[in-house]
């Protein structure tokens, strides 16, 4: 089984920058998107053979997630069963016979950690939600989790210590999620690989210099970590300030 996650930073714009070509070439069983910045129906996404599931923010042009899946799910669930966390379209869960697939767009803590309190609330609610799923069957979590876990996961850890995406608070919550029974699939296969990033600022030619961050993930229930066959960061694919990440998984 092949799955893709991609923060497209506005799907309507990404459609004009090779999105469909990449999806057809990837030939994935499911394509999970974050930061769609649109409502369903605002643009046609002509991917034949894929069922489309959308969770859009109430605020137009903001946040939003989607999953395009060739596999018909047993059920579809939106958001994370937590009051106050259902306005920004940040999560979708598809249930399949052997596993749950969850795509998530974690709230950004923002400059000066202005939204860190809300971020911490989200982290706790999300962890409770996915651990509840994990008690029933294995879970695959993917998306823009808006945190570089360790120093190896960003180009310049020193100057960024304490900034949004690399604060002790955010890194600690990511660690709590792993400790709750999940595995960072990329680091499971490539524990010491440096220079592997999924997001680059549009400023200062960051992408051409590979001055990036790895903040887009596939996490899997620990009991299926040996089913991970490969994880590929598709850093030669453009169209967004993030690149797609692909996982091959036996389920």
């Amino acid at each position: 089984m092949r799955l893709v996650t991609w923060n497209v930073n506005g799907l309507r714009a990404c459609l004009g920058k090779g999105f469909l070509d990449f999806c057809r070439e990837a030939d994935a069983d499911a394509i999970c998107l974050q930061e769609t910045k649109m409502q369903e129906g605002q643009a046609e996404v002509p991917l034949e053979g894929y069922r489309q599931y959308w969770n859009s923010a109430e605020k137009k042009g903001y946040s939003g997630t989607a999953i395009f899946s060739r596999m018909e799910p047993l059920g579809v669930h939106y958001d994370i069963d937590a009051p106050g966390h259902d306005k920004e379209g940040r999560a979708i869960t598809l249930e399949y016979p052997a596993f749950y697939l969850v795509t998530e767009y974690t709230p950004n803590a923002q400059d000066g950690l202005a939204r860190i309190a809300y971020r911490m609330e989200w982290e706790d609610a999300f962890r409770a939600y996915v651990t509840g799923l994990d008690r029933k069957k294995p879970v695959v979590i993917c998306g823009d989790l808006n945190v570089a876990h360790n120093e190896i996961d960003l180009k310049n850890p020193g100057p960024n210590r304490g900034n949004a995406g690399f604060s002790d608070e955010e890194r600690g919550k990511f660690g709590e999620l792993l400790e709750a029974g999940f595995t960072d699939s990329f680091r499971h296969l490539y524990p010491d690989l440096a220079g592997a990033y999924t997001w680059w600022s549009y400023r200062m030619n960051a992408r051409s210099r590979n001055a990036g961050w790895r903040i887009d993930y596939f996490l899997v229930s620990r009991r299926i970590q040996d089913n991970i066959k490969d994880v590929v960061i598709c850093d030669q694919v453009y169209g967004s300030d993030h690149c797609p990440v692909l996982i091959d998984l036996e389920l």
Side-chain angles (χ1 to χ4, degrees):
M1 176 180 298
R2 174 168 290 181
L3 307 171
V4 165
T5 185
W6 193 3
N7 178 322
V8 290
N9 192 18
L11 181 55
R12 285 172 290 180
C14 196
L15 281 165
K17 300 175 182 177
F19 174 82
L20 295 174
D21 291 337
F22 167 76
C23 290
R24 290 164 181 152
E25 183 177 344
D27 195 28
D29 295 289
I31 301 162
C32 301
L33 307 180
Q34 305 85 44
E35 208 170 0
T36 55
K37 294 183 178 180
M38 61 176 282
Q39 310 294 311
E40 182 178 4
Q42 284 190 298
E44 182 181 359
V45 187
L47 285 173
E48 187 175 353
Y50 287 88
R51 297 170 175 85
Q52 299 187 10
Y53 305 94
W54 298 80
N55 191 9
S56 300
E58 290 183 358
K59 179 181 176 181
K60 299 294 178 62
Y62 177 73
S63 187
T65 49
I67 302 179
F68 304 153
S69 177
R70 285 174 167 162
M71 309 170 289
E72 184 173 4
L74 300 175
V76 183
H77 189 78
Y78 299 99
D79 304 314
I80 58 171
D81 289 341
H85 298 297
D86 55 0
K87 306 297 184 184
E88 298 183 355
R90 292 190 176 273
I92 303 173
T93 301
L94 301 187
E95 180 183 1
Y96 298 106
F99 72 108
Y100 291 100
L101 174 61
V102 180
T103 194
E104 179 201 6
Y105 178 37
T106 303
N108 192 303
Q110 299 183 353
D111 290 345
L113 303 184
R115 211 182 186 201
I116 192 69
Y118 178 71
R119 168 70 177 262
M120 296 295 99
E121 293 172 5
W122 171 274
E123 294 278 7
D124 291 339
F126 182 77
R127 187 176 64 257
Y129 174 70
V130 293
T131 53
L133 296 179
D134 189 48
R135 288 192 286 269
K136 302 173 187 176
K137 64 179 77 173
V139 182
V140 177
I141 302 165
C142 68
D144 175 1
L145 306 191
N146 256 320
V147 61
H149 186 210
N150 292 311
E151 291 190 354
I152 195 174
D153 295 315
L154 71 166
K155 178 69 172 180
N156 297 304
N160 283 294
R161 179 75 182 267
N163 289 342
F166 199 59
S167 68
D168 292 346
E169 297 94 328
E170 293 162 297
R171 296 168 67 194
K173 290 297 184 185
F174 187 86
E176 288 182 39
L177 181 57
L178 298 183
E179 291 167 7
F182 296 95
T183 296
D184 176 349
S185 60
F186 183 80
R187 284 289 169 230
H188 180 67
L189 296 183
Y190 307 106
D192 302 314
L193 182 60
Y197 308 128
T198 66
W199 173 80
W200 304 261
S201 170
Y202 281 132
R203 295 176 292 181
M204 299 178 65
N205 299 312
R207 190 154 187 175
S208 64
R209 297 185 295 109
N210 198 31
W213 301 48
R214 189 176 71 94
I215 60 175
D216 302 86
Y217 295 85
F218 274 101
L219 309 182
V220 305
S221 294
R222 190 173 299 142
R223 63 187 181 278
I224 62 167
Q225 66 183 18
D226 291 339
N227 298 48
I228 302 165
K229 298 307 171 186
D230 201 7
V231 181
V232 179
I233 293 176
C234 305
D235 55 8
Q236 298 305 305
V237 176
Y238 290 74
S240 170
D241 52 349
H242 297 248
C243 73
V245 182
L246 178 154
I247 190 171
D248 287 324
L249 189 64
E250 282 190 0
L251 282 173

